[in-house]
Amino acid sequence: MPKLKSKWVCQQCGFQSPAFLGRCTDCGSWNSLVEEIIRETAPNGRPGERLAAQRAEKQGAINGSSGPVALKDVKKEDYERFSLGLSSVDEVLGGGIVPGSVVLLAGDPGIGKSTLLLQIAKSLEAKRSLLYVSAEESAAQVGLRASRLGIAGDQLYIDTQQDVLLVCEHIQAKLPGLIIIDSIQAVYHPDIGSAPGSVSQVRQAAEEIINCARLNNIAAVIVGHINKEGVIAGPKVLEHMVDVVLQFEGDKSRQFRILRALKNRFGSTSEIALFSMNETGLNEVNQAGAFFLGDHLSKVNNGEQLGAGTAIVAYNEGNQALFLEVQALVGPTVYSSPRRVANGWDYNRLLQIIAVLEKKIGLSLARHDVYVNVVGGLDFNNPAGDLGVSTAITTSFYEKSVPANLFMVGEIGLTGEIRPVAGLAKILKEASRLGFKQAVIPTSNLKESAGENINLSASKLEINGVESLQEALNKIIVEQQTGTPKQSEKQGALYG
Ligand SMILES: Nc1ncnc2c1ncn2[C@@H]1O[C@H](COP(=O)(O)OP(=O)(O)OP(=O)(O)O)[C@@H](O)[C@H]1O
Ligand SMILES: [Mg+2]
């Protein structure tokens, strides 16, 4: 049996070496070289050569010549954005997809990438034809999902071809309105020896598809897998090659999914789209603010009290103000060193908050276990939640409760100061809409220098600006129990 030839390829930059290296000599990253087997290359000249000839011809046709063109002569009318039919996805893309552009849709296995794309196909099929290249699943499997999602599929063509050159030929023959490649790791370029999904294959296959989409002025969406480190599998250059990188994320055990743009050549990266997943597919969540509060919203509107160790926090996720319930459980430890557990919250941030609570508030947590949980399964690692986490820990410690219609926003500094957060005006607007009555926010956000015009008189909320953690906890916990106490009473109620 002939000996298999192999090469070592850097997963970060694509550098190739004939032998293993601990550190890439090109980009300097450590442990990034992965072995790839070199197969006998396919005979050159079949679809590859035909494509190259067609491409040269097309390039000439687009520009009138293959040389440079004056900017004023560049045709812009062919590049009008079009809607994908799901308004929140359009917003994430910056107002629709641009013809000729390539979007990389990355996400964990099983998160719902194929489902999202089929739903886009469903909402588009009346307007334009689609070519869905299903390199991972058979046509029957796609058909099964399509029938579950209620897609008729008159204008939807399924192509199970994995050879990227043949895929490009099919695109040129059909000239669809949108191309979907599911996934880039499953297609291969016949002239590259390594296995599908390897760095060289992913890069080469992506390059073919990008060229094909640009030359034919067709928008393409490419699905990309995420590897176990949580980054898009394949070379980093893939992210540079495409126009838009979208990340589809969520907790697979819950029904919510978030779509966000990590890179966008045609729009901002601050918008998100929120979906809930059920048997009929993904449903857009339009007024997402209270999505993670669930039934808790009724408590907000009824003016009920929250249980001890619970606080409601708000923050901006992209362009959307979201409200979350943070819970803490504080109790005497039975271990030699107390336990600190953070679910959905950054562990180091929890340690920092505990340190500030001990030093500035005098909470003695050294012999207490502290568990913090963000309800709803969202990974909420935003400093705007610091004040809420501190409140939940303190109310659990003292067995106090706060009203459900009060929420808090604020980052806590190491000296116990409450630091400003971005986009507070949007949070306050959403809070009034949801029926909150009181807000505790950083005083510095109310100053003009914060750059936001928070209109206190127009707000239906009672807004309390706070400068320090101590002042904030007095406002949130003590004054809620006893009305507005004198300074001495405050100390007694909270710290006595
Ligand atoms: N009958 C069903 N009812 C409810 N949800 C379903 C049903 N069938 C599939 N799903 C959901 O769809 C998800 C799989 O969706 P999909 O195949 O689109 O994911 P994907 O990201 O394309 O996965 P892969 O990485 O394997 O290609 C499942 O995790 C499940 O949550
Ligand atoms: Mg899939």
Side-chain angles (χ1 to χ4, degrees):
M1 216 175 108
K3 194 169 174 288
L4 284 175
K5 285 192 195 156
S6 68
K7 61 183 173 184
W8 293 80
V9 184
C10 174
Q11 303 295 297
Q12 299 296 328
C13 67
F15 171 75
Q16 298 184 4
S17 156
F20 175 73
L21 299 171
R23 187 180 187 206
C24 173
T25 51
D26 205 30
C27 68
S29 52
W30 289 93
N31 290 330
S32 62
L33 273 78
V34 169
E35 190 176 18
E36 284 183 11
I37 306 296
I38 306 172
R39 273 192 293 133
E40 277 295 306
T41 55
N44 277 330
R46 16 167 233 97
E49 261 184 12
R50 292 203 296 275
L51 272 176
Q54 282 170 2
R55 196 172 290 160
E57 202 180 294
K58 199 119 197 174
Q59 190 75 55
I62 287 177
N63 290 346
S65 75
S66 53
V69 248
L71 184 59
K72 67 177 173 52
D73 298 332
V74 175
K75 285 190 237 164
K76 296 176 198 74
E77 58 277 16
D78 295 345
Y79 294 85
E80 287 291 322
R81 288 168 190 270
F82 64 89
S83 163
L84 287 179
L86 300 177
S87 58
S88 56
V89 178
D90 286 343
E91 272 172 34
V92 173
L93 288 169
I97 196 165
V98 177
S101 72
V102 177
V103 176
L104 176 66
L105 174 68
D108 283 329
I111 201 80
K113 302 177 292 293
S114 310
T115 308
L116 177 67
L117 293 176
L118 270 182
Q119 279 187 244
I120 289 174
K122 180 182 178 182
S123 50
L124 264 187
E125 67 175 352
K127 296 180 203 122
R128 49 185 72 221
S129 67
L130 277 105
L131 183 67
Y132 189 107
V133 179
S134 175
E136 276 179 1
E137 294 170 291
S138 68
Q141 285 170 317
V142 178
L144 216 60
R145 185 180 295 118
S147 62
R148 175 162 61 86
L149 301 176
I151 302 172
D154 298 336
Q155 290 235 71
L156 173 62
Y157 297 92
I158 312 287
D159 186 357
T160 50
Q161 185 53 251
Q162 289 173 316
D163 180 336
V164 73
L165 297 181
L166 292 174
V167 167
C168 290
E169 285 214 333
H170 297 172
I171 293 170
Q172 299 218 356
K174 278 242 162 325
L175 291 179
L178 180 76
I179 313 161
I180 293 170
I181 310 285
D182 191 0
S183 70
I184 193 67
Q185 276 85 11
V187 290
Y188 70 92
H189 194 293
D191 294 349
I192 305 285
S194 51
S198 63
V199 173
S200 338
Q201 278 288 8
V202 167
R203 188 175 45 196
Q204 205 59 40
E207 197 175 304
E208 283 302 332
I209 290 162
I210 292 168
N211 278 335
C212 183
R214 291 232 166 98
L215 285 177
N216 295 296
N217 197 21
I218 304 171
V221 183
I222 299 177
V223 172
H225 289 174
I226 280 188
N227 62 23
K228 58 180 183 295
E229 284 88 34
V231 294
I232 298 164
K236 198 75 187 156
V237 285
L238 184 60
E239 289 173 58
H240 293 295
M241 287 159 77
V242 297
D243 300 300
V244 181
V245 180
L246 300 181
Q247 177 123 338
F248 201 36
E249 57 194 41
D251 186 341
K252 261 187 281 170
S253 55
R254 324 263 176 153
Q255 84 278 28
F256 78 88
R257 304 283 187 270
I258 291 179
L259 182 74
R260 66 174 91 235
L262 302 182
K263 161 187 170 175
N264 193 349
R265 282 183 178 152
F266 315 112
S268 88
T269 51
S270 65
E271 312 267 333
I272 62 155
L274 199 67
F275 297 92
S276 69
M277 170 80 105
N278 59 28
E279 197 176 338
T280 52
L282 293 154
N283 295 319
E284 286 178 284
V285 178
N286 287 327
Q287 300 204 315
F291 181 71
F292 293 95
L293 287 181
D295 297 340
H296 235 77
L297 193 60
S298 57
K299 283 193 187 168
V300 173
N301 290 311
N302 298 340
E304 290 175 37
Q305 290 287 114
L306 295 173
T310 306
I312 294 183
V313 300
Y315 79 115
N316 279 310
E317 178 72 67
N319 59 332
Q320 177 70 55
L322 292 182
F323 290 77
L324 299 174
E325 183 188 340
V326 174
Q327 292 186 334
L329 182 67
V330 179
T333 186
V334 292
Y335 304 100
S336 52
S337 57
R339 304 202 70 186
R340 274 81 175 94
V341 177
N343 272 326
W345 182 253
D346 184 57
Y347 179 72
N348 288 325
R349 258 204 116 70
L350 172 63
L351 298 187
Q352 187 178 311
I353 289 171
I354 290 174
V356 178
L357 281 170
E358 287 183 320
K359 173 100 180 166
K360 297 290 166 190
I361 307 296
L363 222 60
S364 65
L365 295 168
R367 300 300 311 147
H368 285 78
D369 293 330
V370 178
Y371 299 84
V372 167
N373 179 39
V374 178
V375 180
L378 191 75
D379 257 341
F380 168 52
N381 286 324
N382 193 304
D386 286 358
L387 189 51
V389 173
S390 315
T391 304
I393 293 172
T394 313
T395 55
S396 176
F397 188 86
Y398 287 113
E399 285 294 326
K400 302 274 185 211
S401 64
V402 295
N405 60 21
L406 181 151
F407 75 95
M408 60 222 69
V409 186
E411 179 180 351
I412 300 172
L414 286 181
T415 59
E417 85 278 19
I418 304 291
R419 305 177 66 85
V421 296
L424 195 65
K426 207 179 292 166
I427 291 176
L428 296 177
K429 196 169 161 212
E430 182 71 355
S432 316
R433 192 185 71 77
L434 293 175
F436 282 94
K437 296 278 180 291
Q438 307 175 66
V440 175
I441 64 165
T443 303
S444 37
N445 267 102
L446 294 172
K447 295 179 183 153
E448 263 178 33
S449 56
E452 274 190 294
N453 187 14
I454 296 174
N455 190 349
L456 288 178
S457 53
S459 175
K460 280 187 266 167
L461 289 162
E462 178 196 325
I463 294 175
N464 302 289
V466 288
E467 283 178 16
S468 68
L469 180 57
Q470 184 158 10
E471 188 189 351
L473 292 179
N474 276 331
K475 269 257 157 11
I476 298 167
I477 306 170
V478 184
E479 292 185 15
Q480 298 299 330
Q481 322 288 327
T482 59
T484 311
K486 296 189 202 87
Q487 193 60 31
S488 55
E489 285 173 334
K490 284 182 193 174
Q491 294 292 337
L494 183 55
Y495 315 118

